[in-house]
DNA sequence: AACTCGGGGAT
DNA sequence: ATCCCAGAGTT
C-alpha cells in the first residue's frame, strides 16, 4: 500500500505544508530555467497590455495570438486609444481570431475604464466586474500585473493539477472545478504569484501536454500521483464531444460595377458585428436557387440579373460544418435605399478590406472573385 | 448543467 | 479525423 502523501481536508485532498513548499520550490525553479519568452511578458508591468493578452488568449493558443497581439498593441497602445477606436477598427484587428464577443466586451470595458479615468482596475475583485473578465482572467491579470495573491485556473492548470493529485472526476463539473480552485489557491506562494501561475501554464504547454506528457522532464514527477500510480495521459477526464451539426447556407455576392452589397450582422451571436455577404440557411443544397430568389427579393434586388454559381465553401467550426453555396450576381440596376433592409450597404471593392469579416466570408470573397 | 461562441495547431 | 486551446456569458 502506497503512503497517502496528502491530508484530507473536507472532500478535497489538500497537500501538506511540506508538500506545498516542495511544489512551489520545484515549479518556480523550473520556471526560472524554462520560461517561454512571450511578448506580454516583456510588459508585465503594464496592466492594459496584460489584460489584452489574457482576453486574446482565452481558448486560443499562444502561437496564434502572438501576431495579433503585436499588431493590436501597436495600433491601440493604451486603454484610451482603444476606447476611442470605432467598432469596425477594433473588429478588423480581431478578424480571424474568433470568439468575436471577446472584442466587443474588450471595447465596452475600455470605454468604461476610460470614462472612469483610464486606470485598469487593480484587484482581481474589481477586474471581475469588467465584461469579458471571468474568474480565471481576473486572477491572471491581478497576479501578473499587480502581484496579487490570486489563483488562475485555466485549461493547462486544470490538466496539471488533475494529474498531480490524480483527480479522476469529470473535470468540467462544478464540484471538480471547486476542488481545482481550492488546490490552486492552497499552493500559491507568498510572493511571485504571477510567475507561479504562469509556471503552471508553461509546464502544461510544454511538458504536461494533453497527449504524450513528458514526465521524464517534469520537475513534479516525483510528487505526481498520476505519474506514480495512475495514468497521466488519461487525465483530465472529459465528457465526449457532441456531434458536429451539418448546415447549409446560400450566399449572394452581389456586385455592381466595382461595389459589393454587404450586410452587418447583429451584435451577439455568431460573428456578431461582422460584415458579410447576404446569406440565409437552407434545408438542403438543392434549395439554394429558391433561397437565392427570395433573398434577392427581400433585398430589393431584381431577380433576373445574371447569376453565376461560384461553388461551395466548406467551413468547419467546433460544433458545426457549414456549407456556403455561393452565387455571384451582376446587378444591372441596383435600387436605392427604399427597399434595402437596415445594415445593408454598398461597399467599394477597394475598401472591402477595411470591413471586418469572418474567415469564412473572406474565403467566400476569394472564390467569388475567381 | 448545458449551450453558444471561431479558427487553427498538434498529433 | 480528433482533441483542445491562458474561458465567459447566457439559458
Amino acid at each position: 500500500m502506497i503512503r497517502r502523501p496528502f491530508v484530507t481536508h473536507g472532500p478535497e485532498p489538500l497537500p501538506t505544508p511540506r508538500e506545498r513548499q516542495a511544489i512551489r520550490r520545484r515549479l518556480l525553479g523550473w520556471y526560472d530555467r524554462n520560461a517561454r519568452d512571450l511578448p506580454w511578458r516583456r510588459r508585465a508591468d503594464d496592466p492594459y497590455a496584460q489584460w489584452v493578452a489574457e482576453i486574446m488568449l482565452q481558448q486560443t493558443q499562444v502561437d496564434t495570438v502572438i501576431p495579433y497581439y503585436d499588431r493590436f498593441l501597436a495600433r491601440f497602445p493604451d486603454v484610451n486609444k482603444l476606447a476611442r477606436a470605432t467598432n469596425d477598427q477594433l473588429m478588423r484587428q480581431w478578424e480571424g481570431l474568433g470568439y468575436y464577443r471577446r472584442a466587443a466586451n474588450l471595447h465596452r470595458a475600455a470605454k468604461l475604464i476610460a470614462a472612469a479615468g483610464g486606470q485598469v482596475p487593480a484587484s482581481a475583485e474589481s477586474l471581475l466586474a469588467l465584461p469579458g473578465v471571468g474568474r480565471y482572467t481576473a486572477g491572471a491579470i491581478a497576479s501578473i500585473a499587480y502581484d496579487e495573491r490570486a489563483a488562475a485556473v485555466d485549461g493547462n492548470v486544470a490538466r496539471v493539477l488533475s494529474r498531480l493529485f490524480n483527480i479522476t472526476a469529470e473535470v468540467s463539473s462544478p464540484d471538480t472545478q471547486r476542488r481545482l480552485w481550492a488546490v490552486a489557491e492552497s499552493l500559491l506562494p507568498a510572493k511571485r504569484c504571477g510567475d507561479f501561475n504562469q509556471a503552471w501554464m508553461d509546464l502544461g504547454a510544454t511538458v504536461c501536454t494533453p497527449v504524450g506528457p513528458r514526465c521524464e522532464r517534469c520537475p513534479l514527477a516525483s510528487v505526481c500521483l498520476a505519474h506514480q500510480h495512475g495514468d497521466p495521459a488519461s487525465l483530465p477526464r472529459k465528457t465526449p464531444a457532441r456531434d458536429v451539426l451539418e448546415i447549409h447556407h446560400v450566399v449572394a455576392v452581389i456586385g455592381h460595377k466595382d461595389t459589393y452589397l454587404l450586410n452587418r450582422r447583429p451584435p451577439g451571436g455568431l460573428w456578431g458585428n461582422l460584415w458579410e455577404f447576404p446569406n440565409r440557411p437552407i434545408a438542403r443544397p438543392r434549395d439554394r436557387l429558391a433561397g437565392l430568389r427570395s433573398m434577392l427579393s427581400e433585398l430589393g434586388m431584381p431577380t433576373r440579373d445574371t447569376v453565376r454559381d461560384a461553388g461551395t465553401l466548406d467551413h468547419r467550426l467546433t460544433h458545426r460544418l457549414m456549407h456556403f453555396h455561393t452565387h455571384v450576381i451582376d446587378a444591372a440596376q441596383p435600387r436605392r435605399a427604399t427597399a434595402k433592409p437596415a445594415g445593408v450597404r454598398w461597399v467599394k471593392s477597394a475598401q472591402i478590406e477595411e470591413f471586418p469579416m469572418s474567415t469564412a466570408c473572406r474565403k467566400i470573397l476569394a472564390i467569388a472573385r475567381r
Side-chain angles (χ1 to χ4, degrees), chain A residues 15 53 59 78 95 98 112 130 228 252 273 303-304 308 337 339 349:
Chain A
Q59 291 295 289
D78 61 62
E95 181 181 310
L112 290 171
L130 296 175
Q228 289 171 352
N273 284 333
T303 56
R304 63 179 98 150
R308 176 169 67 86
S349 178

Side-chain angles (χ1 to χ4, degrees), chain A residues 56-77:
Chain A
M56 284 191 172
L57 286 160
Q58 287 169 4
Q59 291 295 289
T60 311
Q61 294 184 355
V62 164
D63 288 340
T64 302
V65 164
I66 288 175
Y68 283 87
Y69 181 79
D70 290 338
R71 282 198 306 268
F72 196 95
L73 267 289
R75 179 74 193 269
F76 309 117

Side-chain angles (χ1 to χ4, degrees), chain A residues 296 301-307:
Chain A
L296 290 174
M301 298 295 300
T303 56
R304 63 179 98 150
D305 289 321
T306 306
V307 175

Side-chain angles (χ1 to χ4, degrees), chain A residues 217-295:
Chain A
R217 287 173 39 190
C218 181
L220 304 178
S222 66
V223 293
C224 178
L225 291 186
H227 178 62
Q228 289 171 352
H229 49 89
D231 180 11
S234 73
L235 297 176
R237 217 188 88 204
K238 299 195 172 184
T239 54
R242 286 173 298 146
D243 290 343
V244 174
L245 195 61
E246 194 167 355
I247 55 183
H248 298 269
H249 286 255
V250 60
V251 185
V253 179
I254 304 171
H256 174 70
K257 297 185 178 176
D258 61 340
T259 65
Y260 289 106
L261 196 63
L262 293 188
N263 172 57
R264 187 204 278 278
R265 295 177 63 89
L270 185 64
W271 296 320
N273 284 333
L274 297 186
W275 295 82
E276 67 181 3
F277 298 108
N279 68 88
R280 69 172 42 183
I282 51 177
R284 51 193 182 280
R286 70 166 181 269
D287 293 342
R288 64 187 186 275
L289 289 180
L292 185 65
R293 275 194 297 274
S294 66
M295 188 162 62

Side-chain angles (χ1 to χ4, degrees), chain A residues 93-149:
Chain A
Q93 292 299 309
W94 207 271
E95 181 181 310
L97 205 49
Y99 285 144
Y100 297 93
R101 191 176 55 181
R102 293 183 295 175
N105 283 336
L106 191 66
H107 205 192
R108 270 210 296 152
K111 290 174 179 174
L112 290 171
I113 293 170
Q119 295 300 311
V120 175
S123 70
E125 184 184 358
S126 52
L127 285 162
L128 199 51
L130 296 175
V133 176
R135 190 177 181 185
Y136 161 77
T137 304
I141 299 171
S143 64
I144 296 167
Y146 299 114
D147 200 29
E148 181 175 328
R149 198 162 179 275

